[in-house]
């Protein structure tokens, strides 16, 4: 009887820990593109022309216009790729955007500045849970629950188009 109680407790603990994992498995259609509409604060995960998911997003703390230089608080606009993943992000989970591209570097250089970098799609840390809609330094923010889905669905190399 005692063995059964111990076994039940261990099984229950494993079940609860499995449910709380931030890593999900996705077996649906491939995400072939991510499309961001900054003015509408929306991000779409696409499979060809089909919308798989539609998310409300937060942007940089200066959401209008295109990112030009490091520290301007703007989210970049243009065509990039998802190029890295961070499972231990300070912002829950994050996937990297290949900003800056050659055009971004040239624009910043013409201004005598650095274009910056480290632009991600990420979750929201506990300290920023009530940070308002546009609070990042230029990244694209979603809820942690949404980020679990995005992290599992969007692979490295996926194109991302960020529109004004």
């Amino acid at each position: 009887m005692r063995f059964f109680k111990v076994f039940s407790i261990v099984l229950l603990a494993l079940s609860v820990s499995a449910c709380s994992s931030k890593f999900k498995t996705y077996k649906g259609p491939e995400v072939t593109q991510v499309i961001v509409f900054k003015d509408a604060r929306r991000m779409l995960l696409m499979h060809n022309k089909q919308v798989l998911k539609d998310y409300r997003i937060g942007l940089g703390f200066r959401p209008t216009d295109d990112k030009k230089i490091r520290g301007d608080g703007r989210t970049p606009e243009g065509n990039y790729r998802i190029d890295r993943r961070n499972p231990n992000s300070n912002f829950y989970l994050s996937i990297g955007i290949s900003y800056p591209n050659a055009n971004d570097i040239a624009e910043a250089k013409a201004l005598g500045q650095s274009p910056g970098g480290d632009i991600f799609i990420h979750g929201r840390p506990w300290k920023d849970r009530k940070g308002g809609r546009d609070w990042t330094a230029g990244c694209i923010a979603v809820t942690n629950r949404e980020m679990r889905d995005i992290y599992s669905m969007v692979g490295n190399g996926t194109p991302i188009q960020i529109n004004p």
Side-chain angles (χ1 to χ4, degrees), residues 43 45 55 95 142 146-154:
M43 180 174 68
L45 303 188
Y55 298 102
I95 56 175
V142 295
E146 292 166 337
M147 194 61 222
R148 283 192 298 270
D149 291 336
I150 294 164
Y151 195 89
S152 70
M153 293 175 74
V154 179

Side-chain angles (χ1 to χ4, degrees), residues 7 44 50 56 82 145:
F7 179 76
L44 307 177
Q50 176 189 4
R56 290 182 1 188
I82 301 303
R145 176 177 288 159

Side-chain angles (χ1 to χ4, degrees), residues 45-117:
L45 303 188
M46 306 292 297
H47 174 71
N48 301 322
K49 296 187 183 293
Q50 176 189 4
V51 176
L52 298 175
K53 293 281 190 167
D54 180 350
Y55 298 102
R56 290 182 1 188
I57 59 171
L59 300 170
F61 61 85
R62 291 182 58 203
T64 59
D65 299 322
D66 187 14
K67 182 168 193 59
K68 299 287 184 207
I69 60 172
R70 178 189 312 270
D72 66 6
R74 294 185 171 124
T75 302
E77 298 169 2
N79 294 305
Y80 304 95
R81 291 208 173 266
I82 301 303
D83 66 352
R84 60 200 181 278
R85 314 175 86 61
N86 186 353
N88 300 311
S89 171
N90 289 333
F91 299 91
Y92 190 62
L93 291 169
S94 61
I95 56 175
I97 298 171
S98 64
Y99 175 88
N101 61 27
N103 291 336
D104 299 319
I105 294 167
E107 285 181 333
K109 187 175 182 179
L111 297 170
Q113 300 283 329
S114 165

